[in-house]
Amino acid sequence: MVGRNLRKKDTPHELMVLEWVRSTGLGANPQEDFPPYVVDVYIPDMKLGIEIDGPLHLSRKDKKRDQELKNNYGVDIWRLPLKILKVSYKEEFISELMEKVEEQSNA
């Protein structure tokens, strides 16, 4: 249970995104374990993890992590910069999420 040791308290932005996902009727989990990693928000039906990237995220390290999650767990990662996550972004987020749902259903 390495991932459980890595869990942190949900941030207000993670809770907001979780609420947005759930408002579409999709199920979602906060802080999902994929040892040795923890994904901020996970949508099981889509095998989609949502990562909220603050200023400390390093793109090269994140790309490697994302690839490991894809290879080891079949989980795609959607990265959202923290700076865009405002209440006013909700409609755009839901629209983009529904596009991802549509893409998956057509695959």
Side-chain angles (χ1 to χ4, degrees):
M1 292 279 173
V2 174
R4 293 214 186 275
N5 295 333
L6 297 175
R7 282 186 179 195
K8 60 187 180 1
K9 186 175 180 188
D10 295 326
T11 68
H13 290 95
E14 290 171 7
L15 294 173
M16 182 172 65
V17 168
L18 183 66
E19 178 188 321
W20 290 352
V21 172
R22 289 178 174 168
S23 76
T24 68
L26 293 169
N29 304 326
Q31 298 283 320
E32 185 75 20
D33 291 328
F34 295 97
Y37 305 112
V38 176
V39 173
D40 293 337
V41 176
Y42 179 62
I43 306 171
D45 289 343
M46 295 180 65
K47 295 196 79 140
L48 179 66
I50 300 173
E51 283 292 298
I52 299 164
D53 289 347
L56 299 178
H57 283 264
L58 306 169
S59 62
R60 185 179 303 160
K61 188 175 179 181
D62 288 340
K63 285 180 184 178
K64 180 179 184 263
R65 177 183 185 272
D66 295 353
Q67 193 59 52
E68 288 179 12
L69 286 164
K70 178 68 172 173
N71 293 343
N72 297 335
Y73 296 98
V75 174
D76 288 312
I77 298 296
W78 180 14
R79 293 193 166 275
L80 299 172
L82 179 63
K83 64 185 176 187
I84 69 167
L85 289 178
K86 312 267 187 277
V87 173
S88 59
Y89 179 69
K90 180 180 180 181
E91 285 183 38
E92 185 176 340
F93 170 84
I94 290 174
S95 176
E96 289 179 33
L97 179 59
M98 292 296 96
E99 286 176 21
K100 290 180 181 298
V101 169
E102 183 70 24
E103 288 169 11
Q104 263 196 11
S105 66
N106 291 334

